[in-house]
Amino acid sequence: MKNTFTRSAKILSIAASTLLLAPACTKDLNRTPTYDLTADKVYKDAAGYKTQLAKLYGGFALTGSQGPAGTPDIKGIDEGTSDYIRQLWSAQELTTDEAVIQWGDPGIQDWHNLNWTSNGVLIRGLYSRLMYEVTICNSYLQQAADAQLTSRGITSTDAGSIATFRAEARFLRALAYYHALDLYGNTAFATEKDIIGGTVLPPRTTRADLFTYIETELKAIDTSLLAPRANEYGRADQAAAWALLAKLYLNAQVYTGTPRYADAATYAKKVIDAGYKLLPKYGNLFLADNDKNNTEIIFPIVFDGKFTQSYGGTTFLTHVAVPSTAVATWNPAFYGIGGGWGGARTTANLFQQFPDTASDSRGRFHTGSQSLAIVSLTDFQYGYVPIKFRNVTSAGVAGSDNTFVDADYPMFRLGDMYLTYAEAAVRGGGDMGLALTYVNTVRSRAYNNTTNGNITASNLTLDFLLAERSRELFWEATRRTDLIRFGRFTSASYLWPWKGGVMAGQGVADTYNLLPIPSSELSINPNLQQNPGY
């Protein structure tokens, strides 16, 4: 059991309806009030504000206010599917060479085939989840305004704590907006200063303006966030904001047309210099006790088999990689679960990124009973299966529940920051000697803390780094963004099995570099505009 702040999100947080969701970004969120509580009763002191802050963090892990199913935050989509991490992962991984899925749920094969439309339930569900997180953050910030604290007689000591909570809420909102920026580009936009409702609908923001907003917000809260690693585990600190800025700047040319590689290097290095260290064993990053003494994860989404139950998150990521029927070469107990869901595998492209899976500890795949070639997307036996998230501890003990998984999801971690700096440097924004050192630090851990995998300066190219990011970060929801940044997501210059719905792979229209604004949103908010090509 995790003794952390976000472990208790489900218990501590009153139903989201008590957040009084006024400044919404979408009207496609049907909420049902559950508790007869007023804001003044909930937000009466710092403890009350902290309780509600837990709901904001819980928005990345939970799907409702009644366990894994029963009272969903978002309607019109299966509750388990609606989970933030599950939807983000699907959009970032199933669309690429790193993952395919067996299932026939509405719209799910469209991800890998790169042929989705604005009417898709998954397109709508993901957009609604992002906007829901923005909405509850906006509502919280409205209740945490200085005028509200004064009217409620909040003491100066409590006000100091709430100021930190407020900065964390702004970070979480910026994170949700960052994913909206990356996936949808031009979206609805509102802050706590906007009163949305009735005939007042949120305006549209452009991708470039949203980039500037996120950048400004993250810099504005810097001094209000706690120092790196000074906050409770699972809560945001300065390093989390720096990591998000580093990722924002690394992709700035895609988002705005103007490169910001020197800024990406600067903020990646701020994180690197903040005292984080790689875990000695790569695989321990994704186990049930990855919250213990973890010096690498900068910002996790916390999951607990008893207290943060959903059918998304690491529960999804663990079960989806194990067959749903008994197979002699598979043992669900190895994954700490009672059985699998028979869903995700990978293409040959990822497997072939590893020239030596025996030496590189990251290159672990289940190959028994599986074929490397994917003859069919909808048959689990086709495609090797990466071994990544498992519900067992580093000592080999099963997690607290054999359905719901204890492993936390590493939203940001040090390995990514090392490679972010290196790429920024190769693109002209940093020191090449330092970049080489950082890359070899990552590879040394991968090669069991030896120099056997080290590269030389001549090896440090963009092509190498794209492959290295795949080796280090596969199944961590970075691949789509990386391929777009390198110009290889839609292009015919880089193919993988079933890209574009063809077994050999094919290029598709650049339209698919962005997801469409859901047609349901366009129908209710005339301020929005559809992305080009849809």
Side-chain angles (χ1 to χ4, degrees), residues 57-75:
Y57 282 96
F60 290 88
L62 302 171
T63 55
S65 55
Q66 185 177 311
T71 55
D73 290 327
I74 296 172
K75 295 184 178 179

Side-chain angles (χ1 to χ4, degrees), residues 330-345:
W330 292 81
N331 180 10
F334 172 75
Y335 294 85
I337 57 178
W341 297 349
R345 302 92 68 208

Side-chain angles (χ1 to χ4, degrees), residues 379-447:
D379 191 328
F380 188 79
Q381 68 176 305
Y382 297 115
Y384 289 170
V385 184
I387 299 173
K388 190 92 171 186
F389 293 91
R390 295 196 296 138
N391 191 32
V392 295
T393 70
S394 53
V397 179
S400 63
D401 188 281
N402 72 352
T403 296
F404 300 104
V405 172
D406 287 336
D408 298 337
Y409 180 83
M411 182 69 77
F412 303 138
R413 63 180 179 88
L414 182 60
D416 189 4
M417 292 297 101
Y418 279 136
L419 296 178
T420 294
Y421 183 94
E423 184 183 332
V426 172
R427 292 184 185 275
D431 180 86
M432 288 294 290
L434 193 56
L436 181 63
T437 297
Y438 288 161
V439 169
N440 281 334
T441 299
V442 171
R443 288 181 64 79
S444 176
R445 193 260 300 273
Y447 283 75

